[in-house]
Amino acid sequence: DLTVDQTNQMKEYIIGRLRNSMMDFIIDILLEKSGGVFLFARLLKESLAELAKKHPGTKLDFINLTAIPEGLNQFYRENMERIIAEGASDEFRINCFRFMSFICAAQEPLPQTMVQNIMGEDAFRRVKGKLSLLFPAGAGERINIVHKSLIDWLLRNIDDEKENDSGTFDYFVSREDLRIAHRDLFVMCQKSF
């Protein structure tokens, strides 16, 4: 017969071993999904923190773990699908791609006020609020990108002459979008200087 102390010690030992092996298993899955990109781990942490804030008490189980996107491309796509849902209005979708076109056209982080002046305050606030994970506000109230690979991902079809419109369901910025963004930024710069 085991004493209460022995039983508790054995339970503690077994739970500790299970916890360690489960943690190793989770870490292995997340490392594989990251593709060795540290940014993925940071974005995953921020996404999980956002999920926990929106849905307190949510636990990360095996099913949720396997649903996590693999690599940055899938991460960007899933965020776009979440942000620019199919149920979103055409106006909101257009404004999102207009915003992203400005960021892609710029050679450096743009001042928020410049983009706000071009888009209008209401449209800018709605879009900026939704896209803040991928385009966070930086020093001096400038719009940053989470990583250079995001711009590369958005411009992945830029040389495809068949694609003149934004990929509002494929999530890309077209050559025509960039041309218009450059024009609008140029006009705003002319007014400023």
Side-chain angles (χ1 to χ4, degrees):
D1 274 340
L2 294 173
T3 66
V4 173
D5 274 350
Q6 289 173 323
T7 303
N8 288 339
Q9 286 175 351
M10 286 183 75
K11 282 182 184 178
E12 216 174 278
Y13 174 78
I14 292 169
I15 289 171
R17 296 294 297 169
L18 288 174
R19 212 176 267 139
N20 287 342
S21 65
M22 183 55 103
M23 187 59 71
D24 290 344
F25 176 68
I26 289 170
I27 289 170
D28 287 344
I29 288 175
L30 293 176
L31 282 172
E32 184 178 322
K33 286 182 174 281
S34 76
V37 178
F38 187 77
L39 172 66
F40 181 86
R42 186 180 67 110
L43 292 173
L44 180 62
K45 176 185 165 245
E46 290 173 8
S47 291
L48 292 173
E50 189 175 312
L51 177 68
K53 197 184 305 180
K54 287 182 181 175
H55 306 286
T58 300
K59 302 242 187 261
L60 184 63
D61 59 22
F62 181 73
I63 293 169
N64 292 339
L65 188 64
T66 56
I68 291 172
E70 291 198 29
L72 288 175
N73 288 344
Q74 189 178 353
F75 181 85
Y76 294 148
R77 172 170 288 288
E78 287 187 13
N79 270 279
M80 289 294 174
E81 287 170 355
R82 180 180 52 79
I83 294 164
I84 309 171
E86 287 185 35
S89 72
D90 286 344
E91 178 186 2
F92 178 74
R93 295 174 73 79
I94 289 166
N95 282 331
C96 282
F97 278 92
R98 193 166 174 223
F99 176 92
M100 290 186 286
S101 296
F102 292 135
I103 305 306
C104 289
Q107 297 297 311
E108 60 183 44
L110 289 171
Q112 290 188 54
T113 53
M114 177 184 276
V115 178
Q116 182 177 325
N117 288 339
I118 296 170
M119 293 183 69
E121 185 173 344
D122 185 51
F124 174 80
R125 294 264 178 244
R126 281 186 286 131
V127 168
K128 179 67 177 106
K130 289 287 190 177
L131 293 173
S132 61
L133 177 67
L134 299 174
F135 300 96
E141 293 300 306
R142 291 182 175 271
I143 303 167
N144 289 323
I145 55 172
V146 73
H147 192 264
K148 165 78 171 90
S149 64
L150 175 58
I151 300 300
D152 296 340
W153 184 78
L154 286 168
L155 296 176
R156 69 192 178 280
N157 292 339
I158 197 71
D159 292 324
D160 188 350
E161 293 302 324
K162 296 176 193 169
E163 303 290 356
N164 284 328
D165 297 323
S166 286
T168 54
F169 290 98
D170 286 335
Y171 312 108
F172 65 87
V173 172
S174 72
R175 181 179 303 281
E176 180 64 11
D177 296 324
L178 277 182
R179 188 190 67 71
I180 293 168
H182 278 287
R183 181 201 66 203
D184 291 348
L185 289 170
F186 175 74
V187 168
M188 183 54 67
C189 287
Q190 278 185 314
K191 288 179 183 177
S192 299
F193 298 107

